[in-house]
Amino acid sequence: MSTSQSRIPLVFFSVILLIVAFQAFRDTSMPINPPAPSRPAMTDSGIPCQGTPIKVDYAYDGSTVGPNECLKQCQTQQTGYILYSNGLATQCQPLPGCNDTGEDEGVTCSLVSTMKSSAK
């Protein structure tokens, strides 16, 4: 074996050792992946809720909560909105969709005109 061939394993293992040493001593207090952007604050769209209320027994806090309640609108084929126990409401995706789009986007709909029309 010649001298240049005998140095190949030495160079290879030296590079591996440098990589391992770098990983061992690097600053681990900095996250490798930046944190996900925070969810926007809950907003009221001012748009009246449309359809039939789907009443749930938990409160809405601006985040995705509970199971997908809007699946019920696809079973009944009636547009709906989720009415939470704290009086807030979020609109379901228009049919034929079955997603909780208002809840997913942190946007509530207004119950004002819905309550007036049901009082008549």
Side-chain angles (χ1 to χ4, degrees), residues 13 21 44 47 64-65 86 97 100 106 112-113 119-120:
F13 289 117
D44 183 357
I47 298 172
T64 303
V65 293
N86 59 350
D100 302 343
V112 176
S113 64
K120 291 181 183 178

Side-chain angles (χ1 to χ4, degrees), residues 37-76:
S38 62
R39 173 182 206 97
M42 181 174 50
T43 57
D44 183 357
S45 67
I47 298 172
C49 298
Q50 298 176 357
T52 308
I54 302 169
K55 296 180 182 179
V56 296
D57 61 354
Y58 51 89
Y60 181 61
D61 63 359
S63 65
T64 303
V65 293
N68 185 351
E69 300 292 349
C70 289
L71 287 174
K72 293 174 185 170
Q73 86 169 2
C74 287
Q75 295 165 351
T76 63

